[in-house]
Amino acid sequence: MEADFGDDDDLELGPEVAEALAKGTDLRQYSAEIETALRSVERASIQDYLQESESLAGLHTQIRQCDGVLDGMESMLRGFQGDLSNISAQIKFLQDESLSMNVKLRNRKAAETQLSGFIDNLVVPPQLVSNISEGEVNEAYLEYVLELNKKVAFAKQETTAMTSAAGDIAPELEKLRRMSVQKIREFMLQRVASLKKKMTNIQILQQSVLLKYSGLYRFLQENAPEVAAEIQEAYTTTMSVIYLRHFKGYLGDLMRLRTEAATKGDLLGQEEWTSSWQSASSLFSSKPATARGDGAFKLGERGSAVDAVTEPPLIPAVLTQSGSTLHYEAIFGATSSLLLDTVGCEFDFMSEFFGGTESFENIFGKSIFLVMESLEQVLYLLWPCLLWPCLLWPCLLWLCLL
């Protein structure tokens, strides 16, 4: 009997079936053989499984153990993950704390710098107190008072004066200020008094001594204006007396060397030659023996006084030793030249030391009056015809010197 397998196109056979059909094998028998073989294989597989059951049980146990280990590792890793999260949070917290600490550190450093500067500018070291109270007034003392002046000025600032520290230190600074002012006052008055000594070179003393301590006078101007005014007044009075004495002696020495260009005997009609009651014809009488011709109406050597205005002042001792004589024009020119040189040096010194020349006129007022008074006396004693030549040249000399 042939089995109907339908359309060959719809049947898809395996290679074993195709081979069996090709050999003409009974398919039912072949199917039974296949089933028997499958059952045999199944029983063998079961037997193998039974033989390997212990190994499979051990493997199962190991797998469960591994699963437990993996669960433990998972729990541990989760713990690590949680710890890492906590550590990350702590690191962020530490970063924030670090930034905050850096800001605080910068603020503290800035505060320390300001506080340190505040303390340095306000606190008076014991060594400074000792130097000011016990030290001698010299060039080093100027550094001490300048440092003290900085502290006094700092303590007087509005922002500083409001602090309790400034209130505590202010009395001590005031004591040191008064002490330094008193010592500087005595020192400066002694130096001014030293100008009165005879044979003292005033300009050298001014330049080498007084100008070195001009900073002390600045300190007095800032901290004790009344004492600075006292010192300036003492200097003004002293220098006025010194210059007056100096110019009086210089002018007196030159006047002793004076020679007359003409006398009253050189005039016509002089009343001592004839009586004023005599006739007018006596005006044309002959001159007395003391007359010197027309020299009274000539400049002669007196004109050379103008050429000598730029020369150094005359030295009376040298002229006396050489037996020289001087016309009044030369005396006036030498005195004026010396006066102007002295005025220039004194002006420079006062501008640099005192910072002004308010007392300048008080220093030279008497000396200038002395020179002008001498000129007035000389002109007053001259006769009218001799007056103008003698008056003209001193005035020209004075204008040239100015």
Side-chain angles (χ1 to χ4, degrees):
M1 181 176 180
E2 294 181 0
D4 186 9
F5 294 99
D7 192 359
D8 292 339
D9 295 336
D10 297 334
L11 182 63
E12 189 173 324
L13 302 176
E16 292 83 2
V17 177
E19 184 181 358
L21 290 175
K23 291 180 178 181
T25 305
D26 187 4
L27 293 178
R28 290 178 181 173
Q29 183 182 355
Y30 184 73
S31 175
E33 290 176 359
I34 294 301
E35 185 177 358
T36 302
L38 289 174
R39 289 183 181 277
S40 175
V41 172
E42 181 181 4
R43 286 192 296 268
S45 296
I46 293 172
Q47 187 64 32
D48 290 339
Y49 181 78
L50 290 175
Q51 289 178 356
E52 297 294 334
S53 61
E54 294 182 0
S55 297
L56 292 174
L59 180 60
H60 179 70
T61 303
Q62 290 179 358
I63 291 174
R64 291 180 65 87
Q65 290 177 351
C66 289
D67 188 56
V69 171
L70 292 175
D71 289 340
M73 292 182 66
E74 182 181 5
S75 300
M76 184 174 62
L77 291 175
R78 289 185 182 276
F80 286 161
Q81 185 179 11
D83 293 340
L84 289 176
S85 299
N86 294 333
I87 291 173
S88 177
Q90 291 179 359
I91 290 175
K92 187 176 184 306
F93 173 76
L94 291 175
Q95 288 178 344
D96 295 339
E97 285 293 317
S98 177
L99 293 176
S100 177
M101 291 177 65
N102 285 334
V103 173
K104 292 179 180 179
L105 180 61
R106 288 196 298 268
N107 293 338
R108 288 180 179 178
K109 285 185 177 180
E112 180 183 3
T113 301
Q114 293 182 359
L115 184 60
S116 177
F118 179 85
I119 293 175
D120 292 339
N121 290 327
L122 189 61
V123 174
V124 182
Q127 185 64 32
L128 180 61
V129 176
S130 176
N131 291 334
I132 290 179
S133 59
E134 301 176 3
E136 296 182 358
V137 180
N138 48 29
E139 294 183 30
Y141 196 83
L142 176 60
E143 300 296 329
Y144 305 148
V145 297
L146 290 178
E147 184 177 355
L148 176 63
N149 193 31
K150 292 180 181 178
K151 296 182 180 297
V152 171
F154 182 77
K156 290 181 179 179
Q157 293 180 3
E158 184 177 357
T159 55
T160 307
M162 295 186 298
T163 62
S164 58
D168 295 337
I169 201 66
E172 301 301 324
L173 289 175
E174 181 63 19
K175 289 180 182 178
L176 287 176
R177 186 194 68 82
R178 292 181 180 178
M179 186 179 301
S180 60
V181 166
Q182 182 62 27
K183 296 185 70 171
I184 294 173
R185 173 184 176 275
E186 295 175 357
F187 175 80
M188 298 300 291
L189 290 178
Q190 289 175 359
R191 292 298 176 272
V192 172
S194 65
L195 296 171
K196 299 179 181 179
K197 296 180 180 179
K198 293 184 178 181
M199 307 301 294
T200 298
N201 192 319
I202 296 176
Q203 293 184 2
I204 292 179
L205 188 62
Q206 288 175 337
Q207 298 295 327
S208 62
V209 178
L210 292 180
L211 282 182
K212 288 195 305 184
Y213 300 104
S214 59
L216 296 178
Y217 185 78
R218 300 288 185 276
F219 175 79
L220 293 179
Q221 284 181 317
E222 295 178 7
N223 295 275
E226 68 284 355
V227 177
E230 178 186 359
I231 293 175
Q232 186 173 5
E233 181 63 25
Y235 177 84
T236 300
T237 303
T238 300
M239 296 307 297
S240 177
V241 173
I242 291 174
Y243 285 136
L244 178 61
R245 182 183 63 199
H246 177 72
F247 281 103
K248 184 179 294 185
Y250 183 79
L251 185 58
D253 292 339
L254 293 182
M255 289 297 288
R256 282 191 286 271
L257 300 175
R258 179 190 173 193
T259 182
E260 295 288 350
T263 64
K264 56 188 177 183
D266 294 307
L267 300 178
L268 291 174
Q270 208 284 326
E271 59 182 2
E272 291 185 2
W273 300 343
T274 58
S275 173
S276 59
W277 297 101
Q278 293 177 347
S279 63
S281 60
S282 62
L283 294 175
F284 300 96
S285 61
S286 62
K287 297 180 182 179
T290 58
R292 290 176 291 182
D294 60 350
F297 303 96
K298 294 181 180 180
L299 291 178
E301 297 178 355
R302 291 178 291 172
S304 61
V306 176
D307 300 330
V309 293
T310 58
E311 296 180 2
L314 301 175
I315 302 177
V318 176
L319 296 175
T320 302
Q321 187 176 4
S322 62
S324 302
T325 58
L326 300 172
H327 294 290
Y328 182 75
E329 290 83 354
I331 296 174
F332 182 81
T335 306
S336 301
S337 178
L338 178 62
L339 179 61
L340 291 178
D341 290 345
T342 306
V343 165
C345 294
E346 187 65 28
F347 184 88
D348 293 339
F349 171 77
M350 293 186 68
S351 299
E352 187 172 356
F353 186 82
F354 294 107
T357 57
E358 294 81 4
S359 303
F360 187 76
E361 184 177 354
N362 295 333
I363 292 178
F364 288 99
K366 294 181 180 179
S367 299
I368 294 175
F369 179 78
L370 172 69
V371 176
M372 299 308 296
E373 185 181 27
S374 173
L375 175 62
E376 182 180 354
Q377 291 177 355
V378 171
L379 297 179
Y380 179 77
L381 295 176
L382 292 178
W383 296 94
C385 68
L386 303 179
L387 177 62
W388 293 107
C390 294
L391 177 61
L392 177 63
W393 286 109
C395 294
L396 290 177
L397 285 171
W398 185 262
L399 292 175
C400 292
L401 289 171
L402 291 177

